[in-house]
Amino acid sequence: MGKTRTFVDKMKKDKATVRACPVCGAPQQAVRTLVPVANEETGYFKFRDKIEHVCKCNNDEVYG
Ligand SMILES: [Zn+2]
């Protein structure tokens, strides 16, 4: 019973980070990227975390 439970928990975790691409159906990898955001008051840029879901469809877009 313990093993089954562990397996289910693992599946749940995987589901949180991996999802299927709506275009090609391949599993997409969640990749954390930093997006520059301009602060209008100071004029400085700061970086904000963004999670991109990457597969062959948008691989060039995200990494290019
Ligand atoms: Zn795709």
Side-chain angles (χ1 to χ4, degrees), residues 21 23-24 28 55-57:
C21 172
V23 179
C24 70
Q28 290 181 307
C55 71
K56 64 185 178 183
C57 297

